[in-house]
């Protein structure tokens, strides 16, 4: 964490100085905004939290609720989301209060007495260590609280505008604020006059019944519901020994997915209520909590569940539905027109809760659109960047729905109908990387290079998220997770892995000089009055011990002069952690490699140190200033 | 972290429900209080933070400042203090914003050209891993902020009462509130009427010029100042390569202790200003910041320090002074009279800042008196407990002063006058455990047993702090640091290490039954309307894999029924972490061992499972209720 560089900071360094639109931020929702986000759920809040870092942009987020969410339905937090929380400054804190999944138990009918269940298997969660972050369970209300805190502490001092209903929008030819949105007070009846808010862009994170989606003519398409589950968050006294373990319980009486929750006592149960035949939907939806508890006791036999308190419960049917596009550009206009309205999260994809995916995918939707809007509105990037949002996220949603269909069907299949008695646990272990959030792999686009140099850094697949590793900071000998330094500040990252060859020093110096001073370098786009690392955070990693790197000989681009005193930033120069060499771990070529990473952590490019032309060409269409310069 | 057990908690679980004196806490300083703490520095704030956990007790802490400390002088945080922060809920957060010391560099005159300095050695900080916590540097203002947050979130909702000057006190024979304290408004002249606050106990954490100390007739005795140092917290541009490393720099021109600070840019320098001959004190104290900077440049030659901003600076002379007692009981009355007034921190001990000890020792003073006052005022323990404070802490202060004298003298000694060129760095490495805070070893007393069974747990020396280790929680397979579960809630901890012997199950059951239900058990003192673990937090650790422990067969004392629903607390049952077996690491006897730990983390006793009589005898004088029962 860096601070004090412009003078002594006495208070909490996490509270950034107010700047731009945060200095005199109006408490009331203004008439004109740059971005209007509809819905303060996971997708909307992440988009807002990202945009809160751009002081020049007026972003407002409205929600029909009167205040913060008190209790939400989602609770599964995959490791990729915890990585994301790290970027937004709260991974450690939410981990400390969450339930951490370490293994999953599989209970089945006792072969000798099928009226009883017994523990048939245990599977280690994330056995192969796909991330240094854990897999958590915690109520979504707390996730939203932490994003709200980040927004509030950002330069823009953002807070959600509660109590507003979205009623419609129109994309007009207004040259300044083309999207005209109608909103009304959601609860204060006396003030229910419709208001028009003019926005440059609108993001609809307004859930499965999204009215923003409706306004841009998208629909959710997919299968109809056919299997019902009773879900309850409860406190109970029980003799079931695995009540604090995630369990898939399959008995002759049906199945349960047991999800322990934060705080040491609460747990969630998804109780199978069986197939919903046509005409029986209404009856299923009327299932009482007492009936769900009775059913759970039947399934758990011989164990007994004595429920003492019900925090929340519901009955739902699984449906898998998806929109074909995530923005307002019709298929025939793609490539011609750039979007003005986006939808994200449940507005785009609905599916079962069983794989614990919904909130996670929604948050990545929000992050993806958030930084792109920031770059376009700040003038860093052309509007074409915004078309990549729908292109990237629609595919991810399709993959999610395919996976969830398979998993939720399996969960509801009787053990005797599975291809193999161990099929369920084997599927769980085999596919673990998907629900952990690490199978996202964006296809080549203006944002993702062709992976023609992939062999130079096999551990950083182009299009997948940049996976952290421990390195040692040269200036102070501290071991740090390289990836954790990539906070959600909207900057690109350029990681330069120095060569370990006879001419390594010259090779690095040549690249560093080009990066610092060539008019073709992406850094040339950085505004002259900003710190040299304001848009591109450039770091160097040497394949040496930290005691073998002389920091005074490191090329200046890796030690930028920052702040009003133009102090050296010495915290961008790294060496290996000797017991866990990042070069070996990530398969980095010893000839030197450049890894370009997007503000949302995805690897954009892997290049040799000599490929300055390719690097310049990659960034040219992404940078407005460079474009102007080039023309 | 446990919550939700009395029903769903929607907000931040770190904010405990208000209770007792926290429900209608008066904003204004009341006339009568249980404990009045004078001075909101490290000692006073820790005492207050600990007492904030006792809802039945009215504690107020006054300070002459108008508000929070903006910038303090102390910055060294030893690992023992970070352990303490962990107990008060903020170790991770303060670590994230602090500078972390990993090694120390020693710079000396270049033998080939003594007008230049060169790096002669590096020493790893805490090479032998005396704690899982780091050694940090961060301004004391932030430490106080975090303790204030803990107080505010505690059931008593405590906040400091700023703007009050202590002017005197008298210990009277008032049967209810014997200590009559006079205070006045420190800044608001119009309201400077003296007020009398009546208190049961007073803690003076009012610094080196303590008026509370004066009021109880104590004095600081010791040597006079004789060596002067200029100290400055600055931002600078420099070519000195180790500017982000802790360094001892010795040159022909003098010596510097360089302390990098939080935030990546700020650092502190202690610059040697030489011996202060008689009559020259005034001149030395008038040394300007420009002169200190010039001197620093001379010492650093050939490196140059271009100071851009001075956050804080001062000139001071080292003095080593100590009081002979930490309370108001005169030597002749010890054992007859119990104390009413205590002093803590700098009020008791002053010394150089060089070893980075002051704030750390002060905080342990505060914790020591804090929980003892809590237990006595709540009626758990007799007043005799309070006499152990001065007895325990005076010795620690003496040790500190002895150590600091040696270290600060060494720092000011010219290299050629040292017994050996490597003497300084070797001393630093050899004595590392002392400044890390782990050499505190309380002598046997009513609080610390005789270590006659020490061989049963060689890794838990009686009188030293309970050192954490990783164990695996049985109920959910999570690896946790056993010691980190000991938060500053004022409870005793009883760790029961189960036996690994043919009769282990019976042996454990016999002990557990006694602990749960014998009238001689310390648990018998727990109030009937409280949770069974309200006073004693009892945990069991099995010498097995977690998959080999059947939680349903664990004795009930280790799975207490808690809260209004009497839910099982399943989080007190542990197994080994297979790669790091706690039994091996801490030398635990396989016949089963009981380790008793105080609320401030110090080991009180090590006993075999069969020693129920000794355990009962140890607690009898410490527990009021038990005493009453026994009579």
């Amino acid at each position: 964490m860096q601070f004090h560089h412009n003078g002594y900071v006495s208070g909490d360094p996490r509270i950034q100085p107010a700047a731009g639109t945060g200095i005199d931020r109006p408490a009331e929702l203004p008439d004109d905004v740059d971005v209007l986000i509809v819905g303060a759920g996971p997708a909307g809040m992440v988009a807002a939290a990202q945009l809160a870092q751009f002081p020049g942009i007026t972003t407002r987020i409205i929600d029909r609720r009167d205040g913060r969410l008190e209790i939400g339905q989602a609770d599964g937090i995959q490791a990729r989301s915890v990585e994301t929380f790290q970027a937004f400054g709260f991974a450690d804190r939410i981990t400390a209060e969450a339930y951490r999944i370490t293994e999953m138990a599989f209970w089945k009918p006792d072969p000798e007495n099928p009226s009883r269940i017994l523990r048939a298997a245990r599977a280690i969660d994330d056995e192969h260590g796909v991330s240094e972050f854990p897999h958590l369970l915690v109520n979504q209300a707390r996730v939203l609280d932490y994003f709200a805190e980040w927004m509030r502490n950002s330069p823009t001092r953002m807070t959600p505008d509660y109590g507003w209903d979205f009623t419609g929008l129109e994309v007009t030819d207004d040259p300044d604020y083309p999207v005209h949105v109608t909103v009304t007070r959601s609860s204060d009846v006396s003030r229910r006059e419709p208001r028009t808010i003019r926005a440059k862009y609108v993001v609809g994170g307004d859930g499965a019944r999204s009215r923003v989606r409706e306004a841009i003519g998208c629909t959710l398409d997919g299968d109809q519901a056919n299997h019902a589950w009773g879900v309850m968050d409860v406190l109970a006294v029980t003799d079931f020994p695995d009540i604090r373990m995630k369990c898939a319980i399959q008995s002759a009486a049906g199945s349960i997915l047991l999800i322990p929750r934060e705080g040491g006592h609460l747990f969630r149960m998804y109780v199978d209520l069986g197939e919903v035949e046509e005409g029986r939907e209404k009856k299923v939806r009327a299932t009482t909590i007492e009936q769900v508890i009775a059913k759970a006791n039947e399934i758990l036999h011989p164990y007994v569940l004595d429920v003492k308190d019900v925090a929340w419960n519901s009955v739902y049917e699984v449906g898998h539905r998806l929109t074909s596009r995530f923005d307002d550009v019709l298929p025939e206009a793609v490539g011609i027109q750039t979007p003005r309205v986006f939808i994200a999260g449940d507005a785009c994809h609905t599916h079962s809760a069983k794989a614990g995916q919904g909130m996670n995918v929604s948050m990545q939707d929000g992050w993806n659109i958030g930084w792109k809007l920031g770059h376009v509105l700040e003038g860093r990037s052309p509007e074409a960047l915004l078309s990549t949002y729908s292109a990237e996220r629609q595919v991810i949603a399709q993959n999610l729905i395919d996976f969830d269909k398979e998993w939720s069907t399996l969960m509801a299949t009787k053990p005797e109908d599975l291809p193999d008695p161990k099929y369920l646990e084997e599927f769980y272990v085999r596919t673990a990387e998907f629900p952990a959030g690490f199978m996202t792999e964006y296809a080549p686009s203006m944002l993702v290079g062709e992976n023609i140099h992939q062999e130079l850094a096999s551990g950083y697949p182009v299009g997948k998220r940049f996976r952290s590793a421990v390195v040692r900071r040269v200036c102070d000998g501290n071991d740090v997770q390289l990836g954790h330094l990539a906070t959600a500040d909207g900057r690109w990252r350029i990681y330069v892995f120095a060569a370990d060859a006879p001419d390594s020093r010259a090779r690095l110096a040549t690249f560093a000089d080009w990066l610092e001073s060539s008019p073709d370098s992406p850094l040339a786009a950085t505004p002259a009055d900003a710190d040299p690392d304001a848009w591109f955070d450039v770091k160097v990693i040497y394949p040496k011990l930290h005691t073998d790197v002389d920091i005074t000989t490191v090329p200046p681009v890796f030690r930028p002069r920052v702040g009003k005193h133009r102090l050296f930033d010495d915290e961008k120069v790294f060496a290996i952690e000797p017991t866990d060499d990042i070069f070996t771990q990530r398969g980095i070529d010893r000839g030197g490699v450049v890894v370009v990473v997007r503000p949302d952590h995805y690897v954009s490019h892997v290049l040799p140190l000599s490929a300055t032309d390719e690097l310049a060409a990659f960034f040219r269409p992404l940078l407005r200033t460079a474009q102007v310069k080039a023309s």
Side-chain angles (χ1 to χ4, degrees), chain A residues 262-567:
Chain A
E262 67 276 11
H265 294 282
L266 192 77
F267 58 87
R268 172 170 291 189
M269 274 187 175
Y270 292 95
V271 180
D272 184 358
L273 300 179
E275 299 288 318
V276 186
E277 293 136 36
E278 231 177 278
R280 213 177 68 91
E281 295 94 341
K282 210 172 152 189
K283 200 180 155 205
V284 167
R285 281 171 213 156
T287 309
T288 65
I289 179 69
E290 291 74 20
Q291 288 169 320
V292 173
I293 294 169
K295 181 76 178 174
N297 271 292
E298 246 184 275
I299 296 169
L300 287 171
H301 181 81
Y303 302 104
V304 175
L305 194 68
D306 178 10
V307 173
K308 299 290 187 183
D309 188 70
V310 180
W312 173 77
N313 71 296
S314 181
V315 170
Y316 75 97
E317 295 150 69
V318 176
H320 293 93
R321 290 182 300 151
L322 176 65
T323 67
S324 57
R325 56 186 163 90
F326 281 32
D327 64 31
D328 64 330
V329 178
L330 298 173
E332 55 272 26
V334 169
I336 304 160
Q337 183 193 336
T338 56
R340 286 282 165 185
V341 182
F342 308 87
I343 50 175
D346 287 355
C348 311
H349 36 77
T350 68
H351 46 85
S352 100
K354 255 15 138 305
Q357 293 300 297
M359 172 161 53
N360 301 279
V361 174
S362 297
M363 291 192 291
Q364 296 303 321
D365 287 350
W367 202 6
N368 191 299
I369 188 60
W371 75 265
K372 291 172 182 174
L373 283 170
H375 282 212
V376 169
L377 281 162
E378 249 204 359
R380 300 190 198 187
S381 297
E383 290 177 349
L385 179 63
L386 299 176
S387 299
T388 63
Y389 168 68
S390 182
E392 289 188 339
R393 297 305 298 174
Q394 207 271 349
V395 179
I396 303 304
Q398 182 65 60
N399 295 344
L400 161 64
I401 281 172
D402 294 345
F403 176 82
D404 182 70
K405 256 187 195 169
E406 198 168 352
W407 175 243
S408 62
T409 305
L410 272 179
M411 286 286 307
T413 305
K414 293 201 169 130
E416 59 270 27
D417 297 340
L418 290 172
D420 175 316
K422 293 189 173 177
Y423 193 83
L424 190 64
E425 54 264 34
E426 282 171 4
F427 179 88
Y428 182 79
V429 171
R430 176 162 47 84
T431 61
E433 203 172 336
F434 186 90
F438 299 112
M439 290 304 282
T440 294
E441 185 165 0
Y442 293 131
S445 71
M446 71 185 288
L447 267 179
V448 177
E450 296 283 347
N451 58 356
I452 53 176
H453 301 290
Q454 188 66 70
E455 79 288 355
L456 298 179
S458 58
Y460 294 122
V462 174
K464 294 189 84 170
R465 76 83 165 80
F466 180 82
R467 184 173 176 186
S468 188
V470 175
V471 290
R472 186 162 290 177
R473 197 156 55 201
V474 169
C475 71
D476 60 9
N478 269 254
D479 288 340
V480 293
Q481 283 278 359
L482 189 60
H484 298 196
L485 303 171
T487 57
D489 56 12
R491 290 191 292 175
W492 285 91
R493 260 85 204 177
I494 299 179
Y495 299 98
V496 180
F497 291 87
D500 187 12
D503 61 344
S504 62
R505 201 158 157 173
R507 216 187 279 190
L508 183 70
T510 307
F511 177 77
D513 285 350
W514 178 85
L515 196 61
E516 192 186 18
S517 50
S518 166
D520 294 329
S521 161
L523 272 64
T526 309
D529 59 350
D531 278 343
D533 63 347
W535 285 14
F536 295 89
D537 176 19
V538 182
K539 293 182 160 76
V540 64
I541 305 99
Y542 286 89
K544 297 178 180 180
L545 297 177
H546 79 289
T547 48
D548 293 336
V549 179
D550 177 356
I551 201 159
T552 60
T553 67
V554 169
V557 73
F558 305 123
R559 295 178 73 206
R561 307 286 295 261
V562 298
K564 69 177 185 188
H565 302 300
R566 304 202 66 233
L567 305 175

Side-chain angles (χ1 to χ4, degrees), chain A residues 27 64 67 79 138 166 172 200-202 213 557 588:
Chain A
R64 62 155 52 116
V138 67
F166 169 95
T172 70
K200 289 179 180 159
Y201 297 99
V202 167
R213 183 184 67 221
V557 73
I588 309 289

